[in-house]
Amino acid sequence: MATRSGIVRALILAVAATGAAITVGVVRDSPRPAAPSASTGPTTQPLATGLGSVDTSTAAVRRGPFCDAVPGADVQAAVDDPSPSAATWSNGDQLGSGTDVAHEYGCSWTAPAGTAASGWVFAPPVTVQRAQELVASAKSRPGCKPLPGAATFGSPSIALTCTTGGKTTLSYRGLFGDAWLVCQLAGSRATDPADVADRWCASVLRSAA
């Protein structure tokens, strides 16, 4: 017959074993801490998209204000300045001190160093025939020549590099539906101004579309 002390000892061992089993079960069944999630912050760099990545043949541009949609980071990257001066104009606005008025919606940003990025869209609808005339007129400007290797910018379209007074202006002009869109980068001091102009015009197009 088991002694009283032996019985008590057996009960203590049983309880201890049961407690250990419960503890192990809790540890196994408890959810593990979630792994730290990857950063969801913005990863897109300014002027990340080039015209070659945009289907300009199907892009639709509205003949109206679009400047508020242009990303500020793209503007700063285009002119290489964190706080350029801005100007906007709309259809019917007076131009300068004369009597001429604007027939377009546009905007420009200018850095203290003189680099300027701009874009505008004609307010009136433009036909294909009129667009072809605009292309021919742009080509004939003094000091201007087609920009080598330029991506398409609507149809018809023209990309130009123009030099006047020692300052070079790169521009894209093209027809999107019935909207004639123009973008420019002037006086850029970038290592590759043509690449910056390409990406700037992609930003303008996406903002106006």
Side-chain angles (χ1 to χ4, degrees), residues 79-137:
V79 301
D80 192 24
D81 188 86
S83 55
S85 59
T88 60
W89 57 94
S90 297
N91 185 37
D93 286 353
Q94 183 175 341
L95 298 175
S97 58
T99 58
D100 292 340
V101 297
H103 298 290
E104 60 198 35
Y105 299 92
C107 40
S108 66
W109 293 267
T110 305
T115 303
S118 57
W120 61 90
V121 61
F122 282 15
V126 174
T127 64
V128 173
Q129 180 179 353
R130 175 56 180 154
Q132 291 171 340
E133 295 172 353
L134 291 170
V135 167
S137 175

Side-chain angles (χ1 to χ4, degrees), residues 4-110:
R4 177 176 296 179
S5 60
I7 294 174
V8 171
R9 181 180 299 173
L11 289 174
I12 292 173
L13 292 174
V15 171
T18 302
I22 293 174
T23 301
V24 171
V26 170
V27 170
R28 288 179 178 174
D29 293 340
S30 297
R32 295 183 178 180
S37 59
S39 173
T40 56
T43 57
T44 301
Q45 297 297 316
L47 299 181
T49 302
L51 283 174
S53 301
V54 181
D55 184 2
T56 64
S57 64
T58 60
V61 171
R62 62 182 181 275
R63 293 181 286 107
F66 67 89
C67 297
D68 287 345
V70 180
D74 286 358
V75 172
Q76 294 170 358
V79 301
D80 192 24
D81 188 86
S83 55
S85 59
T88 60
W89 57 94
S90 297
N91 185 37
D93 286 353
Q94 183 175 341
L95 298 175
S97 58
T99 58
D100 292 340
V101 297
H103 298 290
E104 60 198 35
Y105 299 92
C107 40
S108 66
W109 293 267
T110 305

Side-chain angles (χ1 to χ4, degrees), residues 79-209:
V79 301
D80 192 24
D81 188 86
S83 55
S85 59
T88 60
W89 57 94
S90 297
N91 185 37
D93 286 353
Q94 183 175 341
L95 298 175
S97 58
T99 58
D100 292 340
V101 297
H103 298 290
E104 60 198 35
Y105 299 92
C107 40
S108 66
W109 293 267
T110 305
T115 303
S118 57
W120 61 90
V121 61
F122 282 15
V126 174
T127 64
V128 173
Q129 180 179 353
R130 175 56 180 154
Q132 291 171 340
E133 295 172 353
L134 291 170
V135 167
S137 175
K139 283 182 178 179
S140 64
R141 292 185 177 185
C144 295
K145 60 183 180 181
L147 183 62
T152 58
F153 192 72
S155 180
S157 68
I158 182 68
L160 296 172
T161 174
C162 304
T163 302
T164 305
K167 187 174 185 178
T168 298
T169 299
L170 306 172
S171 65
Y172 284 77
R173 307 159 189 269
L175 185 65
F176 298 87
D178 64 355
W180 182 255
L181 182 66
V182 181
C183 60
Q184 288 190 165
L185 179 66
S188 174
R189 301 185 180 187
T191 302
D192 189 353
D195 180 63
V196 178
D198 174 282
R199 295 174 182 277
W200 166 244
C201 288
S203 181
V204 170
L205 173 57
R206 295 173 68 186
S207 301

